[in-house]
Amino acid sequence: MKQLLFAVGLSAMLVSASAQERIAPSYPLITHDPYFSIWSATDQLNQSVTKHWTGAAQALTGIIKVDGVAYNFLGATEKPYIEVLPTSDDADYKFSYTESAPAANWKSLEFNATGWKSAAAPFGDVDAGATTAWTSKELWVRRTFELSNPVLKDLTLKLSHDDNVEVFLNGNLIYSKIGWTSNHFSYIPINETGLKSLKKGENVLAVHIKNTAGGAWLDAGLISSAAATTGIALAQQKSVKITATQTKYDFTAGGVDLALTFSSPLLMDDLNLVSRPVSYISYAVKSNDKKLHQVEVLFNAATNIALNATAQRIKVEPVKAAGLSVIRAGTVDQPVLKKKGDDIRIDWGYMYVAVPSSVKAVQYVVSSKTAVADFVKSDQMAKHQSAVGTKLSLSTVLSFGQVGASAKQQFVMLGYDDLESIQYFGKNLKAFWNADGSKSFESELLKAANSYTQLIRKSDDFDDAMYKKAVEAGGEKYARLCVLAYRQAISAHKLVKSPEGELLFMSKENFSNGSINTVDVTYPSAPLFLVYNPELLKGMLNGIFHYSESGKWTKPFAAHDLGTYPIANGQTYGEDMPVEESGNMIILTAAIARVEGHADYAKKHWETLSIWADYLSKSGFDPANQLCTDDFAGHLARNTNLSVKAIVALGSYAMLAEKLGKQDIAVKYKNMAREMAQKWIQMADAGDHFALTFDHKDTWSQKYNLVWDKILNLDIFPKAVYQKEISFYLNKQQKFGLPLDSRRTYTKSDWIIWTATLADNRSDFNKLVDPVYQFAIETTDRVPLSDWHETTNGKQAGFQARSVVGGYAIKLLDYILNNR
């Protein structure tokens, strides 16, 4: 296994900031795979509830008690409320409903609903966790409820819906929306009109919902504020630092300083580590006033980490494990691999919280509503380690005893065993760490505990070395972008083995369409894996090669994807991208050969590569009307950047043929590529730049596909082509970057960095890359890095938490390959 970047460097200034300074749009805390991925959306760790990358709450809470005084340092404590009309996550309830349009007064209190059906909520897709299946296009529902005192200071609609919805309270419209929240709840304060309509005695909440496409869902209730838990101060956050594998915070809590570190040791030279879904939460406490202090720390993890919908019932139980104290939680139903799609969270397998038994931690299950209060209050109630219900959380209390000037350290492990990870052409596959099913998760937790000190040291060394090399390649701001991208890119994949024993590193097309192993997601993601372990890139290509070579995919070009995550049984995207995907596969196979110094991987797949190269030789130069990787921009005929991809792919195929001793083929395809390049220059020439399409010279676009001609040293296009484009781009910049092309002002940040890598000097490179960093730290969208944003205002145009930010490493790859 070859790895391009391995030397340990000196300590370097990483992505760090004082408490108030923004250094990321969202802060990675737990990052392992598309289902086990938890982030903080605020610069202050204790100002918001931590979330899954989809935006669903997956609360991690941290409280430190110093001499009996409680300080919150992790997560915002949940706002308490009274259930006026419970939703399904709080209590079982039924809707009265009809699927036929009722009389006009159906939403009023006086309406007679005799003849309407009654069924348990939530309504929607049963596979997504609904209790009652809803398959019609429209639904009208009613819930009556009693109020003894209708004079409420506040009332909030708690609503989860998919799709368009209108909500009425005693006949008055209190909310409407075109769109959906899926399995997330929205909280909408009831307006004055709604509050005034409340009556003593019977009231009615009525909802009309339309399912326009895709999923279906409805869960609705009403809540009112309750008294908050008192006696909890906020710990003062002094700093935060993000490195490739860790996020580190420093706090002051009264007379004690707390150093808190989240470590996901995704070191790509160790595939078991990449696969093992165990993160460390480390605590170091010391006195800051020369006095001794009694210190306890609560780590609490909500069990919705193991849920797709909050109404699902969860089972909590202790687990026997030698050398460890362990508690775990998972759904009662365990619907293994029953769900697929984008805005979906795992609801099978088990989340684990574990600590070394030597620290004598106290672990117990508690209601999420009372988790903090139960720790803060002084009376000692019986603690339980087993429960079944909803809205539960797992508490672990660490006692540090008397703390003085010398720091005391302890750690907690948070892990997730998904039991079965991916379905691959009809066969369920386990995670790589347990590919043959012979290992227990408890044994992996013990390995993780025993290797804690070693792995933290290795992570620190790697983080320093990566940052140092990225600074050498592209400067400070570029290096910071690489750091922000590292964990996000890796954790958007799942590592498994195929039934034939081949590595499969399966991406999820996050916040896009949920496709699995999308080739035009692999393509932009590839540079990071080429730098640190090309075996992982092979794992991204293997499934696509198998799809063709098994006879399951019979077209003369590469498939777009293998299905919808986590089900990889064949392409589900509705349209092919023949030039795009064939070009991607050939170029990336050539990139592997360039990194490894031989073409053994290409030799294994030569027949398939040859079919794709033949297709590109006939259909690649002047592409017909079709989609490319930027499919959000729509179909485009005669796309010059797509043509570049085909030409570079043919040059890459020639390079592979030469490495394999196939000289006649190498000469044929290299000459073909060079002739096409000269023809391209003539046809795309628009004076001071090259056009977006061959037939519209008043257009322009980023020619990011040219970067592989440079990196692979193919010598297909003259260097003057690169520089002509770079000079033109520098005059098209907006505040937050270079637009993708002349059609719109939005952009793709990964492509900007690819384009910038064409520059022949650091100054031009930085001029193109620095606005991308500005976007990362100034965007108002507090989500994991979006790769698709508006260049004029820094707003997210779409996409988030995707692996394609691995493409930021393109400059690092170029620097290492062409400067070694």
mmCIF file of all heavy atoms in Angstrom, residues 303-320:
data_model
loop_
_atom_site.group_PDB
_atom_site.id
_atom_site.type_symbol
_atom_site.label_atom_id
_atom_site.label_comp_id
_atom_site.label_asym_id
_atom_site.label_seq_id
_atom_site.Cartn_x
_atom_site.Cartn_y
_atom_site.Cartn_z
ATOM 1 N N THR A 303 -30.296 9.182 22.516
ATOM 2 C CA THR A 303 -30.417 7.944 21.756
ATOM 3 C C THR A 303 -30.978 8.156 20.358
ATOM 4 O O THR A 303 -31.041 7.206 19.567
ATOM 5 C CB THR A 303 -31.306 6.927 22.496
ATOM 6 O OG1 THR A 303 -32.589 7.515 22.745
ATOM 7 C CG2 THR A 303 -30.661 6.503 23.804
ATOM 8 N N ASN A 304 -31.357 9.396 20.011
ATOM 9 C CA ASN A 304 -31.775 9.599 18.618
ATOM 10 C C ASN A 304 -30.599 9.495 17.649
ATOM 11 O O ASN A 304 -30.787 9.555 16.439
ATOM 12 C CB ASN A 304 -32.552 10.906 18.428
ATOM 13 C CG ASN A 304 -31.807 12.127 18.885
ATOM 14 O OD1 ASN A 304 -30.643 12.057 19.284
ATOM 15 N ND2 ASN A 304 -32.477 13.274 18.830
ATOM 16 N N ILE A 305 -29.388 9.322 18.166
ATOM 17 C CA ILE A 305 -28.249 8.968 17.311
ATOM 18 C C ILE A 305 -28.524 7.633 16.627
ATOM 19 O O ILE A 305 -28.009 7.369 15.534
ATOM 20 C CB ILE A 305 -26.957 8.903 18.152
ATOM 21 C CG1 ILE A 305 -26.587 10.310 18.647
ATOM 22 C CG2 ILE A 305 -25.801 8.284 17.379
ATOM 23 C CD1 ILE A 305 -25.474 10.317 19.685
ATOM 24 N N ALA A 306 -29.371 6.788 17.245
ATOM 25 C CA ALA A 306 -29.696 5.472 16.693
ATOM 26 C C ALA A 306 -31.100 5.422 16.102
ATOM 27 O O ALA A 306 -31.655 4.337 15.913
ATOM 28 C CB ALA A 306 -29.550 4.404 17.781
ATOM 29 N N LEU A 307 -31.676 6.589 15.793
ATOM 30 C CA LEU A 307 -33.049 6.669 15.293
ATOM 31 C C LEU A 307 -33.105 7.438 13.980
ATOM 32 O O LEU A 307 -32.316 8.345 13.732
ATOM 33 C CB LEU A 307 -33.945 7.407 16.295
ATOM 34 C CG LEU A 307 -34.081 6.837 17.705
ATOM 35 C CD1 LEU A 307 -34.922 7.791 18.541
ATOM 36 C CD2 LEU A 307 -34.722 5.459 17.658
ATOM 37 N N ASN A 308 -34.094 7.108 13.152
ATOM 38 C CA ASN A 308 -34.411 7.938 12.001
ATOM 39 C C ASN A 308 -35.489 8.946 12.364
ATOM 40 O O ASN A 308 -35.413 10.110 11.976
ATOM 41 C CB ASN A 308 -34.883 7.069 10.831
ATOM 42 C CG ASN A 308 -35.213 7.903 9.610
ATOM 43 O OD1 ASN A 308 -34.403 8.699 9.155
ATOM 44 N ND2 ASN A 308 -36.412 7.729 9.083
ATOM 45 N N ALA A 309 -36.490 8.511 13.113
ATOM 46 C CA ALA A 309 -37.583 9.382 13.550
ATOM 47 C C ALA A 309 -37.693 9.318 15.066
ATOM 48 O O ALA A 309 -37.567 8.250 15.659
ATOM 49 C CB ALA A 309 -38.901 8.953 12.904
ATOM 50 N N THR A 310 -37.937 10.459 15.690
ATOM 51 C CA THR A 310 -37.902 10.519 17.154
ATOM 52 C C THR A 310 -38.997 9.697 17.814
ATOM 53 O O THR A 310 -38.916 9.401 19.004
ATOM 54 C CB THR A 310 -38.011 11.974 17.636
ATOM 55 O OG1 THR A 310 -39.192 12.565 17.088
ATOM 56 C CG2 THR A 310 -36.800 12.781 17.203
ATOM 57 N N ALA A 311 -40.030 9.305 17.064
ATOM 58 C CA ALA A 311 -41.107 8.511 17.654
ATOM 59 C C ALA A 311 -40.739 7.041 17.780
ATOM 60 O O ALA A 311 -41.462 6.277 18.450
ATOM 61 C CB ALA A 311 -42.373 8.651 16.814
ATOM 62 N N GLN A 312 -39.654 6.622 17.173
ATOM 63 C CA GLN A 312 -39.271 5.214 17.240
ATOM 64 C C GLN A 312 -38.878 4.829 18.668
ATOM 65 O O GLN A 312 -38.202 5.582 19.364
ATOM 66 C CB GLN A 312 -38.119 4.934 16.274
ATOM 67 C CG GLN A 312 -38.521 5.013 14.809
ATOM 68 C CD GLN A 312 -37.343 4.790 13.885
ATOM 69 O OE1 GLN A 312 -36.512 5.662 13.686
ATOM 70 N NE2 GLN A 312 -37.260 3.600 13.306
ATOM 71 N N ARG A 313 -39.274 3.624 19.061
ATOM 72 C CA ARG A 313 -38.970 3.148 20.406
ATOM 73 C C ARG A 313 -37.553 2.590 20.462
ATOM 74 O O ARG A 313 -37.090 1.919 19.546
ATOM 75 C CB ARG A 313 -39.994 2.087 20.835
ATOM 76 C CG ARG A 313 -41.367 2.685 21.099
ATOM 77 C CD ARG A 313 -42.414 1.619 21.351
ATOM 78 N NE ARG A 313 -42.140 0.817 22.542
ATOM 79 C CZ ARG A 313 -42.372 1.228 23.793
ATOM 80 N NH1 ARG A 313 -42.867 2.436 24.016
ATOM 81 N NH2 ARG A 313 -42.106 0.438 24.824
ATOM 82 N N ILE A 314 -36.902 2.884 21.569
ATOM 83 C CA ILE A 314 -35.496 2.545 21.736
ATOM 84 C C ILE A 314 -35.315 1.639 22.944
ATOM 85 O O ILE A 314 -36.063 1.747 23.922
ATOM 86 C CB ILE A 314 -34.656 3.841 21.902
ATOM 87 C CG1 ILE A 314 -33.179 3.587 21.576
ATOM 88 C CG2 ILE A 314 -34.802 4.439 23.277
ATOM 89 C CD1 ILE A 314 -32.847 3.827 20.154
ATOM 90 N N LYS A 315 -34.357 0.754 22.861
ATOM 91 C CA LYS A 315 -34.024 -0.118 23.987
ATOM 92 C C LYS A 315 -32.605 0.189 24.444
ATOM 93 O O LYS A 315 -31.670 0.216 23.644
ATOM 94 C CB LYS A 315 -34.118 -1.586 23.572
ATOM 95 C CG LYS A 315 -33.793 -2.575 24.691
ATOM 96 C CD LYS A 315 -33.901 -4.021 24.209
ATOM 97 C CE LYS A 315 -33.570 -5.000 25.326
ATOM 98 N NZ LYS A 315 -33.651 -6.409 24.863
ATOM 99 N N VAL A 316 -32.447 0.410 25.741
ATOM 100 C CA VAL A 316 -31.148 0.698 26.343
ATOM 101 C C VAL A 316 -30.782 -0.441 27.282
ATOM 102 O O VAL A 316 -31.637 -0.934 28.031
ATOM 103 C CB VAL A 316 -31.168 2.035 27.113
ATOM 104 C CG1 VAL A 316 -29.820 2.302 27.761
ATOM 105 C CG2 VAL A 316 -31.546 3.182 26.180
ATOM 106 N N GLU A 317 -29.508 -0.839 27.244
ATOM 107 C CA GLU A 317 -29.073 -1.926 28.120
ATOM 108 C C GLU A 317 -27.573 -1.831 28.368
ATOM 109 O O GLU A 317 -26.829 -1.316 27.526
ATOM 110 C CB GLU A 317 -29.407 -3.279 27.487
ATOM 111 C CG GLU A 317 -28.770 -3.497 26.129
ATOM 112 C CD GLU A 317 -29.314 -4.711 25.417
ATOM 113 O OE1 GLU A 317 -30.132 -5.435 26.007
ATOM 114 O OE2 GLU A 317 -28.921 -4.944 24.257
ATOM 115 N N PRO A 318 -27.112 -2.319 29.531
ATOM 116 C CA PRO A 318 -25.676 -2.396 29.775
ATOM 117 C C PRO A 318 -25.093 -3.579 29.000
ATOM 118 O O PRO A 318 -25.808 -4.527 28.665
ATOM 119 C CB PRO A 318 -25.588 -2.615 31.282
ATOM 120 C CG PRO A 318 -26.851 -3.342 31.613
ATOM 121 C CD PRO A 318 -27.903 -2.807 30.674
ATOM 122 N N VAL A 319 -23.804 -3.517 28.729
ATOM 123 C CA VAL A 319 -23.134 -4.580 27.987
ATOM 124 C C VAL A 319 -21.911 -5.023 28.774
ATOM 125 O O VAL A 319 -21.133 -4.196 29.249
ATOM 126 C CB VAL A 319 -22.702 -4.102 26.583
ATOM 127 C CG1 VAL A 319 -21.952 -5.205 25.849
ATOM 128 C CG2 VAL A 319 -23.921 -3.653 25.780
ATOM 129 N N LYS A 320 -21.747 -6.336 28.909
ATOM 130 C CA LYS A 320 -20.567 -6.853 29.582
ATOM 131 C C LYS A 320 -19.384 -6.837 28.626
ATOM 132 O O LYS A 320 -19.457 -7.366 27.519
ATOM 133 C CB LYS A 320 -20.821 -8.277 30.077
ATOM 134 C CG LYS A 320 -21.838 -8.374 31.209
ATOM 135 C CD LYS A 320 -21.998 -9.814 31.685
ATOM 136 C CE LYS A 320 -22.995 -9.893 32.837
ATOM 137 N NZ LYS A 320 -23.162 -11.293 33.320
#
